[in-house]
Amino acid sequence: MNTWVRIVRRREFTVFILIVILSIIFAVSTDRFLSISNISNLLSQLAGVAIAAIGMTMVIITGGIDVSVGSTLGLACVVSGSLLMIQAPFLLVLLATLGTGLAVGLLNGVIVAYGRVPPIITTLGMMNMVRALVFQALGGRWISGIPPEVRTIGLGKWLQIPLAMWVAGALIVVFSYFLSYRPLGRSVYAVGNNPEAARVSGVNLKTTLLFVYGLTGALAGFAGLINVGRTGIVQTNNGMGFELDVIAAVVLGGTSILGGRGTIVGSLLGALLVAIIKNGMILLNIPALTEGVIIGALIIISVLIDLVRGRGVR
Amino acid sequence: MRNIWDTVISNRVLFLSLLFVILFVFFSFTIPGFFNLYNLSNMTQYGVELGLLALAEALVILSGGGGIDLSVGSMMSLVSILMGVLIGRAGWSPVFAVPLGILAGMGMGLFNGILVSLGRILPLIVTLAGLYMYRSLALIIAVDPQFGPNPMPVSTFPESFYFVGQYRVGGIPFQVLFIFLPVLLIFHFLLSRTTWGRQLYGVGSNETAAVFSGINLKKVRLTVYTLSGILSALAAWVITSRIASARPDVGTGYELQAITIAVLGGISIQGGEGTVGGVLLAVAIITMINNGLQLAGIHQIWQLGALGAVLVGSVLLNQFLIQRRKI
């Protein structure tokens, strides 16, 4: 009985119920929502946000935030796009893309952990600097015409489900396990709950911070590779506003912005909810312009629901 | 000598003043066309919108409790297109449309403030939601059914609308003299000379102590978010008049620049620390860098890049100094 009450009271459950209700509404009111091509399309758009949200969840659990993921994704798009154009081996493309993201992320981590600069400041500055770099690298031009045969990571499917979503799923399982059962994973929560207590009980604060920011950068880079694979185009504004989508997914999924609480599965559900709303609105011919009103209202409503139940956001 | 240097870098206003002078001299000697009266007075108008938004951000961050307003850019967009639609499409006189636009900004700020102070939801969440909602509303308002379902900018204004953003008084842009400077002076006075100002610093630096000394926490926070909305609306009025066009996406990205400038100006992200003077200096420096880079023919994306580097660098330096002082 008690376990049931605990599950029902969680934010993940609220979001899950919302997903179910909306899916039923869309399935009844349109005939395309449940079609295989639509679901596969929805999932391939979801994958990038879901992957970056893994890292963002951890960053926010430590009490931080990373608004530079959109620019990191943009830079990774440039790197992977250029390499795919010259038909470089996939392993090289993958390593270069992850490496690019990791480098940006680690730089964030070093400034936050060793420089003690607040995360919002660090990543805000990084966002602008990396975006300038993206612009410089592209020189105002596009990279387009990347051949489909090297875009498997974005276009490929297995059992009708996009390859990128399989990867996202695997990463979510691995990192959920990691966060719950490995010492470094537990220290992510410890740092967010009480940094001083964590330090005294032997948690290495700096290592933990380097790890979460580095991971977030690498995963944002990977999301960039998927993006290039899916669209085949690299533009200067790739990933602009991506950081807000990822943060919205994590916040909707119940991760406390004050740190110390949250799950990766919650963030996946948050991302799925947003993706379903966007998709359903297109199918129902509701102008995409109203999307922001709905996502914004949902963020506030879901937090208010928690408040009314007396759980609080604090 | 070492002592003088220490004072300069640990006092933000002094440090920024010095940086301003150094950059000014450097640009004057290296960039042709920088040091002449026309460019110098012309340059000031570009700092007004950003300056108003940075001031809004400064007030909100000062109030503490994780205070931040991510929605200033979206509020600016919404007010801009609202004024544009009322004047350009519905044929209203600016005399009515502008006050209504400012009122709309106030309403949005009040909504944020209610959720933050009475709803007790964290500012980052409230204003992130605000960013989405107001931006989306701006796009919806911008749709002109006559021309299909897409949002359209409005550029048909009567001549009388342009005085704010395009006229000059004694060689100085109107909006600098009659909007930006008065607003700065008012807020400088409010923050340093009134009870309200002291309460704001009190709430920002130590919430618990402030509550125990009888300060109405909720009222103070409600006020700053509302003021943020009003200042964003003022910025919208100025920019719409200056570029002679109301665009539903005019404020995109401004929130991050505004935060950057507030923090560079010495507003502590933890709240309760910083001055209007510091913010003014930061606005001046950034506007000057933008102008200098533009005259030197460097693309504006590098202005953003430079802004990022200056932000992280200045806070890093600050933290380094705090560390050293402790030892």
Side-chain angles (χ1 to χ4, degrees), chain A residues 78-107:
Chain A
V78 175
V79 171
S80 56
S82 318
L83 287 173
L84 286 174
M85 271 313 259
I86 57 165
Q87 315 243 343
F90 183 73
L91 190 65
L92 176 70
V93 179
L94 182 68
L95 287 179
T97 314
L98 290 178
T100 307
L102 183 68
V104 177
L106 282 180
L107 194 54

Side-chain angles (χ1 to χ4, degrees), chain B residues 167-243:
Chain B
Y167 284 25
R168 280 152 188 283
V169 178
I172 300 170
F174 181 91
Q175 68 266 45
V176 176
L177 211 55
F178 290 101
I179 294 186
F180 192 46
L181 290 180
V183 166
L184 276 179
L185 286 175
I186 290 170
F187 277 102
H188 175 71
F189 174 78
L190 281 176
L191 288 190
S192 57
R193 296 272 186 279
T194 65
T195 322
W196 182 77
R198 300 327 296 168
Q199 287 182 344
L200 180 58
Y201 281 107
V203 164
S205 53
N206 192 337
E207 205 176 294
T208 322
V211 170
F212 279 120
S213 45
I215 296 174
N216 191 336
L217 185 80
K218 287 180 177 163
K219 206 168 116 191
V220 173
R221 295 234 167 103
L222 195 67
T223 318
V224 288
Y225 284 92
T226 312
L227 284 171
S228 175
I230 296 175
L231 288 169
S232 307
L234 274 179
W237 181 28
V238 173
I239 199 169
T240 310
S241 169
R242 178 167 70 77
I243 65 176

Side-chain angles (χ1 to χ4, degrees), chain A residues 279-290:
Chain A
N279 180 267
M281 285 174 57
I282 294 170
L283 295 182
L284 285 175
N285 284 323
I286 299 172
L289 310 177
T290 47

Side-chain angles (χ1 to χ4, degrees), chain B residues 8-311:
Chain B
V8 169
I9 31 186
S10 50
N11 180 332
R12 182 58 69 107
V13 173
L14 218 58
F15 172 67
L16 289 175
S17 310
L18 197 71
L19 185 65
F20 180 82
V21 172
I22 292 172
L23 281 173
F24 187 83
V25 173
F26 179 70
F27 282 174
S28 300
F29 279 106
T30 54
I31 299 170
F34 178 81
F35 188 75
N36 63 57
L37 212 58
Y38 177 76
N39 182 53
L40 292 182
S41 83
N42 193 37
M43 178 170 94
T44 54
Q45 66 176 309
Y46 297 105
V48 172
E49 297 106 25
L50 204 49
L52 289 170
L53 295 181
L55 190 61
E57 208 65 66
L59 291 173
V60 170
I61 297 177
L62 267 180
S63 78
I68 198 151
D69 192 342
L70 294 175
S71 69
V72 288
S74 293
M75 292 195 281
M76 178 159 106
S77 297
L78 179 65
V79 173
S80 170
I81 193 69
L82 181 66
M83 288 179 182
V85 167
L86 288 178
I87 299 169
R89 289 195 195 140
W92 283 37
S93 155
V95 178
F96 299 110
V98 170
L100 193 79
I102 309 264
L103 215 61
M106 190 176 132
M108 287 184 279
L110 185 67
F111 181 70
N112 287 342
I114 288 174
L115 287 174
V116 167
S117 69
L118 303 179
R120 307 215 315 141
I121 308 178
L122 281 162
L124 190 86
I125 297 182
V126 171
T127 58
L128 179 70
L131 181 148
Y132 278 118
M133 290 194 286
Y134 306 147
R135 184 173 65 187
S136 172
L137 283 173
L139 290 170
I140 295 170
I141 295 176
V143 174
D144 188 347
Q146 271 182 296
F147 301 106
N150 291 322
M152 307 279 273
V154 183
S155 323
T156 42
F157 291 103
E159 191 57 32
S160 64
F161 184 68
Y162 296 137
F163 75 94
V164 194
Q166 300 181 10
Y167 284 25
R168 280 152 188 283
V169 178
I172 300 170
F174 181 91
Q175 68 266 45
V176 176
L177 211 55
F178 290 101
I179 294 186
F180 192 46
L181 290 180
V183 166
L184 276 179
L185 286 175
I186 290 170
F187 277 102
H188 175 71
F189 174 78
L190 281 176
L191 288 190
S192 57
R193 296 272 186 279
T194 65
T195 322
W196 182 77
R198 300 327 296 168
Q199 287 182 344
L200 180 58
Y201 281 107
V203 164
S205 53
N206 192 337
E207 205 176 294
T208 322
V211 170
F212 279 120
S213 45
I215 296 174
N216 191 336
L217 185 80
K218 287 180 177 163
K219 206 168 116 191
V220 173
R221 295 234 167 103
L222 195 67
T223 318
V224 288
Y225 284 92
T226 312
L227 284 171
S228 175
I230 296 175
L231 288 169
S232 307
L234 274 179
W237 181 28
V238 173
I239 199 169
T240 310
S241 169
R242 178 167 70 77
I243 65 176
S245 174
R247 305 175 52 89
D249 59 350
V250 72
T252 309
Y254 264 97
E255 56 283 340
L256 298 176
Q257 290 187 57
I259 295 168
T260 306
I261 290 177
V263 170
L264 176 64
I267 306 288
S268 158
I269 199 83
Q270 272 90 23
E273 211 179 299
T275 58
V276 174
V279 177
L280 172 64
L281 275 167
V283 175
I285 289 173
I286 295 302
T287 312
M288 192 167 66
I289 292 179
N290 286 351
N291 179 265
L293 291 181
Q294 205 165 11
L295 288 175
I298 296 166
H299 191 276
Q300 60 167 6
I301 199 86
W302 278 108
Q303 298 167 11
L304 282 180
L307 192 67
V310 171
L311 172 73

Side-chain angles (χ1 to χ4, degrees), chain A residues 210-270:
Chain A
L210 276 181
F211 168 74
V212 293
Y213 285 95
L215 179 73
T216 305
L219 291 175
F222 190 59
L225 178 60
I226 292 173
N227 194 36
V228 173
R230 192 162 58 83
T231 61
I233 300 172
V234 180
Q235 287 169 268
T236 310
N237 64 0
N238 268 148
M240 268 189 195
F242 178 72
E243 62 278 356
L244 295 174
D245 289 347
V246 177
I247 295 171
V250 173
V251 168
L252 270 176
T255 298
S256 163
I257 207 86
L258 282 174
R261 211 185 56 215
T263 61
I264 295 171
V265 172
S267 303
L268 171 69
L269 290 172

Side-chain angles (χ1 to χ4, degrees), chain A residues 74-152:
Chain A
L75 190 62
C77 283
V78 175
V79 171
S80 56
S82 318
L83 287 173
L84 286 174
M85 271 313 259
I86 57 165
Q87 315 243 343
F90 183 73
L91 190 65
L92 176 70
V93 179
L94 182 68
L95 287 179
T97 314
L98 290 178
T100 307
L102 183 68
V104 177
L106 282 180
L107 194 54
N108 279 331
V110 167
I111 298 173
V112 170
Y114 291 90
R116 296 174 184 241
V117 176
I120 177 87
I121 307 287
T122 307
T123 58
L124 200 57
M126 195 59 70
M127 172 178 117
N128 286 338
M129 288 188 274
V130 173
R131 183 60 66 187
L133 214 59
V134 170
F135 186 87
Q136 189 65 19
L138 286 175
R141 288 184 298 273
W142 292 22
I143 300 176
S144 58
I146 298 168
E149 52 277 17
V150 295
R151 287 161 51 194
T152 316

